[in-house]
Amino acid sequence: MVNVNKLKGKIIELGTNVESVASSIGIDRATFYRKLATAGETFTIGEADAIARELRLTRDEVNDIFFAQYVA
């Protein structure tokens, strides 16, 4: 389960938006939003890796966002 709140927070912190991140990793904006709406359950490892690279996430941030057992 993806910690969607932390992911969105990091996107905002870097002064970008979901549309820009989606475009830069090669998926449609609507698809990215759908993936966020399902707690990120359908993000592939490749997409998670591309997001991490695009947002310049540290190893700890990647673990906190993509591998946490966070329950909203």
Side-chain angles (χ1 to χ4, degrees):
M1 177 179 264
V2 174
N3 187 330
V4 173
N5 291 330
K6 280 190 179 184
L7 178 57
K8 287 180 180 179
K10 191 63 177 178
I11 290 169
I12 291 168
E13 179 183 317
L14 294 173
T16 188
N17 56 44
V18 171
E19 292 84 2
S20 176
V21 174
S23 175
S24 68
I25 68 168
I27 64 174
D28 185 71
R29 169 186 62 87
T31 301
F32 196 95
Y33 276 114
R34 275 194 301 276
K35 289 175 184 268
L36 290 176
T38 61
E41 293 176 357
T42 59
F43 278 121
T44 66
I45 295 295
E47 290 167 343
D49 183 54
I51 292 167
R53 280 186 274 116
E54 177 65 24
L55 298 179
R56 299 176 306 279
L57 299 177
T58 66
R59 194 171 297 192
D60 287 338
E61 289 172 326
V62 169
N63 286 333
D64 288 344
I65 292 171
F66 292 103
F67 301 106
Q69 292 300 316
Y70 176 80
V71 178

